[in-house]
């Protein structure tokens, strides 16, 4: 592309090579979201192999999900420093190394490190840059590009569930991990598609050269004034450092009422959000359903999720829902919890298919509005900082959710208590968000009325002050300068009276 003027970013092309970038993001985002869920196929066999409990084996997915969410700010910093392409390629390499190393593990602790931390961190380096690069290539068609890229999650889950079962039947869990590690290396290929747009590097070099020239001139003409300028430069450097930190972690958001409501509700929700997906296939096997049919339940969930996400986006963007989108989000969370509460009633495979369909619908609704509702509350300018703070807080409950569910299964010997716990937590989170968002909307309306009242009062006071100033100006003008005019007016009055 043509080189833009120095200091000015190139315009998004809204097409062309951007569609190759969308395909790369489709692969990267799909693996980042779907891979931790697809690993649940191997949990029962890993549990039997190492002789561990349900809660211990559930830590594998929990650590992976927590690493993927918690490392989000680190990924953003690396993208701003090095660009999306090298970060995604390095993340794909880490994913491959983690899964290949896991094939040679001899203890559950080693699986925590290889699968949980290394592969999870690699997936984090795939997720954030893929979202950022689309915003650089698209402007007018960005909603379409984002929708196509985010569709990678249900498509990958729909593919990985039966693939993992096939790999396990033919190669065992160790051989499957080797093959999955090789498959994850395709994230490096996806990252190679993220070609930097425009001549940003050249612009940066020009700016660095200008800064160097200014520095040399300052050194040549050193004086007491220049010493004070250097001190100011140091102070500005410290301010720049603080500004860079605030760009990713704007702690003033903790004074934002809407952000705090969203944060508390989401932290509570994630205690029961991922555990049902992790234990769905093992639960089906526990009830006597064969392995392929159990894996197909995840495919059903993914297919419904694939349709639910764009449909939810269309509904949420309508003029009836958009002004109060927080209520719709609260309903989606409570609906998700209601599905889990009714899951123990599914006593056969048909019932589990119905549950998986409704679960996929509810899961897609929540995921489609998860970040849109946050942007609705804090605005686009503070969205990056808000996402960083939210993901750091959420990773704690994401880490604890599946192990708590596994502990309930170990304690009672039945899966239904895990589903009941997850359902109750999500219904509670949805109810909390609905009530507190109602309170927030009421307070926002009240504050808006008070603001308008203050503006009207200030306008009326300003009008009165202007009237008084005009009156004072008229009275002060009657002085020595206007004395001849006053005498002339009095003379005219006397003549009129004489006539």
């Amino acid at each position: 592309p043509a080189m833009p003027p120095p200091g000015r970013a190139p315009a998004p092309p809204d097409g062309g090579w951007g569609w190759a970038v969308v395909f790369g993001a489709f692969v990267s985002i799909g693996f980042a979201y779907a891979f931790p869920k697809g690993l649940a196929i191997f949990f029962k066999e890993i549990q039997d192999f190492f002789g561990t409990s349900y809660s211990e084996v559930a830590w594998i997915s929990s650590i992976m999900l927590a690493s993927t969410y918690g490392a989000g700010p680190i990924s953003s910093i690396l993208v701003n420093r090095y660009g999306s392409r090298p970060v995604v390629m390095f993340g794909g390499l880490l994913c491959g190394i983690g899964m290949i190393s896991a094939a040679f593990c001899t203890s559950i602790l080693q699986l925590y490190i290889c699968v949980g931390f290394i592969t999870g961190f690699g997936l984090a380096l795939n997720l954030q840059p893929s979202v950022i690069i689309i915003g650089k290539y698209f402007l007018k068609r960005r909603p379409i590009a984002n929708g196509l890229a985010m569709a990678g999650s249900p498509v990958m889950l729909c593919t990985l569930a039966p693939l993992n079962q096939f790999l396990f039947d033919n190669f065992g869990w160790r051989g499957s991990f080797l093959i999955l590690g090789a498959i994850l290396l395709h994230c490096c290929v996806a990252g190679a598609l993220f070609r930097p747009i425009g001549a940003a590097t050249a612009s940066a070099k020009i700016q660095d050269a200008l800064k160097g020239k200014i520095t040399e001139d300052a050194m040549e003409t050193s004086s007491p004034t220049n010493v004070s300028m250097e001190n100011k430069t140091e102070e500005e450097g410290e301010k720049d450092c603080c500004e860079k930190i605030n760009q990713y972690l704007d702690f003033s958001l903790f004074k934002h009422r809407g952000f705090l409501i969203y944060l508390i509700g989401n932290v509570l929700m994630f205690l029961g959000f991922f555990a049902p997906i992790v234990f769905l296939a093992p639960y089906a096997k526990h009830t006597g359903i064969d392995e392929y049919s159990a894996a197909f339940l995840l495919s059903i969930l993914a297919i419904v999720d694939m349709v639910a996400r764009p449909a939810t986006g269309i509904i949420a963007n309508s003029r009836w829902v958009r002004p109060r989108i927080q209520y719709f989000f609260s309903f989606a969370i409570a609906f998700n919890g209601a599905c889990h509460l009714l899951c123990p009633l599914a006593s056969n495979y048909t019932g589990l298919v119905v549950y998986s369909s409704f679960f996929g619908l509810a899961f897609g609704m929540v995921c489609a509005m998860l970040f849109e509702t946050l942007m609705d509350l804090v605005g686009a300018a503070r969205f990056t900082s808000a996402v960083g703070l939210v993901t750091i807080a959420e990773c704690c409950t994401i880490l604890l959710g599946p192990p708590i569910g596994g502990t309930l299964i170990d304690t009672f010997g039945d899966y239904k208590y895990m589903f009941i716990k997850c359902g109750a937590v999500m219904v509670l989170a949805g109810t909390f968000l609905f009530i507190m968002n109602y309170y927030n909307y009421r307070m926002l309306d009240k504050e808006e009325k008070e603001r308008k009242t203050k503006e009207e009062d200030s306008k009326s006071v300003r009008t009165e002050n202007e009237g008084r100033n005009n009156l004072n100006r008229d009275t002060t003008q009657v002085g020595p300068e206007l004395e001849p005019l006053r005498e002339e007016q009095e003379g005219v009055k006397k003549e009129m009276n004489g006539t």
Side-chain angles (χ1 to χ4, degrees), residues 248-280:
Y248 302 104
L249 297 174
D250 184 5
F251 290 102
S252 64
L253 282 166
F254 287 107
K255 298 179 182 179
H256 192 288
R257 184 176 59 245
F259 174 78
L260 288 175
I261 293 171
Y262 178 91
L263 182 63
I264 294 170
N266 275 258
V267 167
L268 182 61
M269 177 195 72
F270 274 105
L271 273 174
F273 192 59
F274 286 114
I277 299 179
V278 172
F279 289 107
L280 178 58

Side-chain angles (χ1 to χ4, degrees), residues 299-320:
S299 299
I300 294 172
L301 187 151
I303 291 170
V304 178
D305 183 11
M306 201 185 310
V307 179
R309 294 196 188 202
T312 302
I314 294 171
I315 295 172
N317 199 43
S318 64
R319 59 189 178 92
W320 299 282

Side-chain angles (χ1 to χ4, degrees), residues 41-42 159-172 176 179 291-292 295:
I41 300 296
F42 304 102
T159 307
L160 280 174
L163 174 63
N164 287 349
Q165 189 62 54
F166 172 80
L167 292 175
F168 174 75
D169 291 341
N170 290 274
F171 305 102
S176 300
I179 297 171
E291 289 83 355
Y292 281 96

Side-chain angles (χ1 to χ4, degrees), residues 133-160:
I133 192 71
I134 291 176
K136 295 182 179 179
Y137 267 91
F138 290 90
L139 182 61
K140 295 179 181 178
R141 299 177 180 175
R142 189 169 60 198
I144 300 173
N146 275 321
L148 291 172
M150 293 299 292
S153 173
V155 170
M156 285 291 183
L157 181 59
C158 182
T159 307
L160 280 174

Side-chain angles (χ1 to χ4, degrees), residues 20 39 70 96 128 186 197 200 253 257 304 312 330 337 345 399 439 468 485 493:
L39 282 183
Q128 205 90 340
H186 285 79
I197 183 171
L253 282 166
R257 184 176 59 245
V304 178
T312 302
S330 306
L345 300 178
L399 183 67
Y439 166 76
R468 290 174 183 174
L485 180 61
K493 288 181 181 178

Side-chain angles (χ1 to χ4, degrees), residues 485-498:
L485 180 61
R486 185 190 301 168
E487 293 176 355
E488 183 179 350
Q489 289 176 349
E490 290 177 356
V492 172
K493 288 181 181 178
K494 288 179 182 179
E495 291 179 359
M496 291 176 67
N497 291 333

Side-chain angles (χ1 to χ4, degrees), residues 77-160:
I77 294 171
L78 291 175
V79 169
N80 287 335
R81 180 67 181 86
Y82 300 105
S84 293
R85 175 189 273 179
V87 173
V88 174
M89 294 178 72
F90 179 66
L93 184 62
L94 279 181
C95 291
I97 292 173
M99 290 304 298
I100 292 171
S101 302
F104 302 97
C105 290
T106 57
S107 68
I108 194 72
L109 180 61
Q110 294 174 1
L111 283 178
Y112 293 160
I113 297 172
C114 295
V115 180
F117 287 108
I118 299 177
T119 306
F121 184 67
L123 293 177
L125 298 183
N126 276 269
L127 178 61
Q128 205 90 340
S130 302
V131 177
I132 293 172
I133 192 71
I134 291 176
K136 295 182 179 179
Y137 267 91
F138 290 90
L139 182 61
K140 295 179 181 178
R141 299 177 180 175
R142 189 169 60 198
I144 300 173
N146 275 321
L148 291 172
M150 293 299 292
S153 173
V155 170
M156 285 291 183
L157 181 59
C158 182
T159 307
L160 280 174

